[in-house]
Amino acid sequence: MGDVINLKRARKRKARDAEAQTADANRLRFGRLGAERKLEEARADLEARKLDGHKRSE
C-alpha cells in the first residue's frame, strides 16, 4: 500500500517549485543581484560627490 499524501500540500509544493524555476531563469536572463546594483549605485554616487567637491565655485 502506498503512502498517504496531502494533495493540497503537494499542489502547493509543485507550484512553489515551478515559481522557483521561473525565478532562476529570470535571474540568469536579467542579470545582477540587488546587492550588486546597490554597490554600483553607491560607487557612482561617491564618484559624483568627489567630482562635485573638486569643482571651483565662482
Side-chain angles (χ1 to χ4, degrees):
M1 192 171 198
D3 293 332
V4 177
I5 61 168
N6 187 333
L7 294 178
K8 188 177 192 180
R9 284 186 190 161
R11 252 191 322 270
K12 286 183 179 182
R13 184 179 300 124
K14 185 178 177 182
R16 253 186 267 122
D17 291 343
E19 287 175 5
Q21 255 185 341
T22 304
D24 287 338
N26 285 340
R27 280 188 208 105
L28 288 174
R29 190 168 43 162
F30 291 113
R32 306 170 310 190
L33 299 174
E36 291 172 342
R37 278 194 302 274
K38 286 181 183 179
L39 180 63
E40 186 176 320
E41 288 174 10
R43 285 182 179 161
D45 230 15
L46 180 64
E47 289 177 21
R49 281 190 280 130
K50 282 183 180 178
L51 184 62
D52 287 344
H54 289 289
K55 286 185 179 178
R56 292 194 298 174
S57 57
E58 294 183 48

